[in-house]
Amino acid sequence: MCQLLGMNSLKPARLSFSLEGFLRRGGETDEHADGWGIALYEDRRCQLLIDELPSARSPLAEWIQLYSGRSRNVIAHIRKATQGSISATNCHPFLRHLWGQEWSFAHNGNLDVSKLPAPVCFTPCGQTDSEHAFCLLLDGLFSRFGRQAPGLAQLSQTLAELARLIAAAGSFNFVLSNGEWLFTHRSTELHYLQRAYPFGRAHLLDCPLGIDFSRHNEQDDRMIIVATRPLTDELWQPLPVGELAVFAEGRRVAC
């Protein structure tokens, strides 16, 4: 199946180190060679870039690592197709607008869409179970709250309820953001870590590259990294199975 990568940071930051290892899994160190994509937020505006080429051989992926700017929220995805053709239309992340916010979503897993209702307000453009599920999440939010965005506590509770309903149709690991918060849900495999002061060293698992974060960060820098499988030799923690986790300003928050 696919793999996910997400970042939520207190201050705008670059994800280039983690991306270096993650994107190699798209056809070099792993089999996820059916396209890739990344959603980068500048303030709350989302820049979405997708490519049906394997990320390990994509000129766009190389460009992103060299020239992407700083962001507080990032979602990236490398695809191994289970439903839908290999095409840009079926590459994650997917993007939709709700409440004047730009929502991005990426999924790892396999859902039986015959067990799920058809989306009503938000319509999939491609053929994947993932985009179908994303549209159902947004349908559920719009049905519950209408045109007025709720607070974080109500939003998180509703997303958790919707995620449980959709996960009944299969495996539903996802990362979701509106540019302010990062939401995750684990069915099978999803990990996270926090990078904060005092910063240490890390080495990527997919290539011989290391970094001393203390040389690149200030004391008040803080970020969360989420990945399907650990990317470095740091202490990654598995997220709880079947629960929605929420990250804001570079830390996990309770809602």
Side-chain angles (χ1 to χ4, degrees), residues 1 4 105-111 129 133 160 162-175 184-191 226-228 238-245:
M1 286 187 261
L4 307 169
F105 169 91
H107 165 235
N108 162 33
N110 198 19
L111 297 166
D129 54 329
L162 293 168
R164 281 194 293 271
L165 292 174
I166 295 172
S171 53
F172 195 38
N173 308 288
F174 72 75
V175 184
T184 69
H185 181 270
R186 176 192 172 196
S187 285
T188 55
E189 191 174 20
L190 199 58
H191 299 78
V226 177
T228 300
L239 284 159
V241 174
E243 292 185 17
L244 186 86

Side-chain angles (χ1 to χ4, degrees), residues 5-223:
L5 175 64
M7 181 190 80
N8 173 265
S9 180
L10 174 62
K11 298 190 295 185
R14 294 191 66 192
L15 193 59
S16 52
F17 177 70
S18 297
L19 274 175
E20 177 70 28
F22 181 72
L23 294 175
R24 288 173 184 259
R25 296 181 179 181
E28 181 178 319
T29 62
D30 216 325
E31 59 183 354
H32 313 283
D34 298 329
W36 72 281
I38 187 168
L40 300 143
Y41 284 90
E42 298 178 3
D43 293 323
R44 297 188 189 177
R45 296 296 305 273
C46 183
Q47 180 183 22
L48 179 66
L49 299 168
I50 55 175
D51 189 355
E52 62 190 67
L53 293 175
S55 59
R57 300 192 295 275
S58 166
L60 181 60
E62 183 177 354
W63 183 88
I64 279 291
Q65 293 176 76
L66 292 172
Y67 300 111
S68 64
R70 295 178 180 271
S71 179
R72 290 180 58 243
N73 286 279
V74 177
I75 292 177
H77 181 274
I78 49 175
R79 185 173 184 237
K80 179 171 172 54
T82 55
Q83 297 186 39
S85 61
I86 299 173
S87 66
T89 305
N90 290 324
C91 288
H92 313 214
F94 303 104
L95 182 67
R96 293 291 192 279
H97 293 79
L98 177 63
W99 304 319
Q101 303 168 8
E102 297 184 331
W103 290 83
S104 60
F105 169 91
H107 165 235
N108 162 33
N110 198 19
L111 297 166
D112 183 350
V113 295
S114 69
K115 297 180 179 179
L116 296 170
V120 177
C121 300
F122 294 85
T123 304
C125 297
Q127 308 150 328
T128 66
D129 54 329
S130 306
E131 191 182 14
H132 186 110
F134 180 36
C135 290
L136 285 179
L137 284 176
L138 296 184
D139 261 13
L141 293 178
F142 185 71
S143 175
R144 179 72 61 87
F145 301 109
R147 300 187 182 278
Q148 182 65 43
L152 180 57
Q154 286 183 298
L155 176 61
S156 301
Q157 180 180 356
T158 303
L159 280 172
E161 294 169 1
L162 293 168
R164 281 194 293 271
L165 292 174
I166 295 172
S171 53
F172 195 38
N173 308 288
F174 72 75
V175 184
L176 170 75
S177 183
N178 65 346
E180 181 175 6
W181 304 307
L182 188 74
F183 304 92
T184 69
H185 181 270
R186 176 192 172 196
S187 285
T188 55
E189 191 174 20
L190 199 58
H191 299 78
Y192 81 103
L193 65 82
Q194 184 185 62
R195 291 179 181 146
Y197 182 84
F199 293 94
R201 296 175 178 269
H203 294 84
L204 292 172
L205 302 180
D206 292 86
C207 62
L209 183 65
I211 191 171
D212 182 352
F213 287 111
S214 66
R215 299 181 61 183
H216 300 273
N217 290 275
E218 301 174 352
Q219 288 192 15
D220 60 344
D221 286 336
R222 183 177 66 239
M223 72 168 58

